[in-house]
Amino acid sequence: MNTQLSADGLWHDLRLLDMQALLAGELRTTPGVIAVQGGRITYAGPALALPEGLSTSGPRHDGGGALVTPGLVDCHTHLVYGGQRAGEFALRLAGASYEEIARAGGGIVSTVRATREASEEALLAAAAPRLEQLLADGVTAIEIKSGYGLELAAERRQLRVARALGERHGVTVKTSFLGAHALPPEFAGRADDYIAQVCDHMLPALADEGLVDAVDAFCERIGFTLAQTERVFQAAERLGLPVKLHAEQLSDMDGAALAARYGALSCDHVEHLSPRGIAAMRDAGSVAVLLPGAYYALRDTHLPPVEALREAGVPMAVSTDHNPGTSPALSLLLMLNMACTLFRLTVAEALAGVTVHAARALGLQATHGRIATGVPANFVLWQLQEPAELAYWFGQRPACRVVRQGRIVEGGR
Ligand code: DI6
Ligand code: FE
């Protein structure tokens, strides 16, 4: 991180993204100011309505007319792992499918081998520069999953590194335990035994250590069955932990409907989501997390049912799904662009998808993804004329100043 300057004081000459209008599908900004005290926002709105006490106290920060949005939220990542899988990228280009590679002992399991071999220090050293890339795009809260250890000690290392990243970089980190990501080789042919291990040993131990904020699973032909997924959810429920699911990415397993029954925070990927799954998610208030990076990198052609989700009023979030296999993406703004170009989200929908809805997918809706009185100061000043530019440019890093957890960070990192 470049600086540790407090953001307390009055931020003036800003153009605030109107989040109310955004949720109604409109891109609008209003001139305004933000007051910060003790790392929290005490006022955001027109300068004329600023309560008197706030206008005189503390330092002044000149926004220079910058566009201001809430800090972005990357609500689905697998940021901590060993190695990389460029070789598989080449295999896929030569015609092998993701599922074929996985069944041949590559895929997730190859990253498991590299992660198990890595020390906590090595995992941290590998993940930190990746996190810095995401932060440079204005990310102020991020979810990080385990799932490349698939044994207690290695899963613990991943989650401890996720927590350490949050502390070192001053960024809100939510962890998800993804022990049910793939079957580790030592359990070949004994998936039910592995799930018992996940539910009865790994999850309770890691939750007891305070390392688990939510529980995730990979319900898929190359992952775990619906029945096995439900056992994981039951274990989460026993511990009072919220659930989420990698659902219907490669096929329709009816996972979303199951997750919704357990009040899932989100169902993620959802390319093959059925009308039944959509209805269940709507009723449960689960967020659909769209992951265009994985869709793109796998050269998928089966689009998620965006129009049906929109019609049903299911909130849609957008995230990087950063992982070494299917989405080596390190820019949430690029995902914003792809959500529009590939999935046909409107810019307003995509922007809501990396702010309010992404925060909700992490259970952070009260504190993140918006700029309001009382919430921790997380907002981004962008060197841009209009909000649509956030989705329009790609490969640019237009965040000029980020306020993250009440601290000013130049250039985002
Ligand atoms: N879905 C994903 O997008 C990642 N995991 C999952 O269940 C991919 C993980 C990998 O290929 O390493
Ligand atoms: Fe994922």
Side-chain angles (χ1 to χ4, degrees), residues 32-318:
V33 300
I34 298 177
V36 178
Q37 247 173 34
R40 288 187 176 266
I41 293 173
T42 47
Y43 174 82
L48 284 175
L50 182 71
E52 217 167 284
L54 296 179
S55 60
T56 47
S57 61
R60 292 173 70 83
H61 308 276
D62 187 354
L67 168 69
V68 177
T69 69
L72 306 188
V73 179
D74 195 353
C75 66
H76 178 141
T77 86
H78 310 247
L79 198 71
V80 178
Y81 54 83
Q84 48 80 24
R85 309 224 300 268
E88 277 179 26
F89 177 59
L91 287 176
R92 285 205 307 275
L93 290 177
S97 76
Y98 181 59
E99 290 189 67
E100 281 162 6
I101 293 170
R103 290 188 198 285
I108 295 170
V109 169
S110 74
T111 298
V112 170
R113 280 193 291 274
T115 304
R116 284 179 175 181
E117 280 168 18
S119 66
E120 213 166 293
E121 294 70 32
L123 290 173
L124 185 64
R130 296 195 282 259
L131 177 61
E132 289 189 2
Q133 292 290 317
L134 293 170
L135 298 183
D137 256 1
V139 168
T140 61
I142 184 170
E143 185 245 22
I144 300 177
K145 302 175 192 296
S146 69
Y148 288 124
L150 310 186
E151 66 186 9
L152 181 60
E155 289 284 304
R156 178 187 288 123
R157 282 202 296 280
Q158 276 195 278
L159 294 169
R160 283 173 52 91
V161 168
R163 288 274 189 253
L165 286 167
E167 276 158 34
R168 274 182 36 155
H169 293 262
V171 57
T172 305
V173 168
K174 282 286 197 177
T175 58
S176 297
F177 170 65
L178 180 55
H181 191 194
L183 191 62
E186 63 274 19
F187 278 88
R190 295 187 297 129
D192 281 324
D193 291 350
Y194 178 64
I195 290 296
Q197 184 73 13
V198 163
C199 297
D200 301 339
H201 298 289
M202 292 159 73
L203 175 56
L206 297 169
D208 192 49
E209 293 169 37
L211 291 171
V212 182
D213 297 324
V215 177
D216 194 354
F218 188 33
C219 182
E220 198 52 72
R221 288 187 302 240
I222 57 166
F224 294 94
T225 65
L226 206 58
Q228 289 160 347
T229 301
E230 180 155 23
R231 285 169 60 197
V232 175
F233 286 171
Q234 285 166 344
E237 198 174 59
R238 282 196 292 276
L239 294 163
L241 291 168
V243 302
K244 46 179 55 229
L245 188 65
H246 276 74
E248 344 299 8
Q249 178 187 9
L250 308 170
S251 61
D252 180 14
M253 302 275 289
D254 211 20
L258 171 71
R261 273 205 279 124
Y262 283 82
L265 288 171
S266 69
C267 296
D268 303 36
H269 288 284
V270 300
E271 277 84 348
H272 294 259
L273 184 62
S274 68
R276 184 181 129 82
I278 293 173
M281 287 176 67
R282 176 200 60 212
D283 294 346
S286 305
V287 176
V289 179
L290 306 178
L291 304 167
Y295 175 92
Y296 165 78
L298 291 175
R299 302 174 70 235
D300 199 349
T301 52
H302 199 291
L303 286 164
V306 165
E307 182 53 39
L309 287 164
R310 185 184 282 138
E311 257 174 47
V314 174
M316 292 180 276
V318 174

Side-chain angles (χ1 to χ4, degrees), residues 20-33:
Q20 216 60 28
L22 190 76
L23 290 171
E26 281 172 47
L27 293 173
R28 205 187 298 148
T29 58
T30 52
V33 300

Side-chain angles (χ1 to χ4, degrees), residues 313-352:
V314 174
M316 292 180 276
V318 174
S319 166
T320 59
D321 188 18
H322 176 84
N323 76 74
T326 62
S327 191
L330 287 170
S331 165
L332 189 53
L333 289 185
L334 178 58
M335 300 303 111
L336 196 66
N337 172 274
M338 286 185 172
C340 298
T341 51
L342 299 176
F343 292 171
R344 300 291 178 91
L345 262 63
T346 66
V347 173
E349 285 173 331
L351 277 172

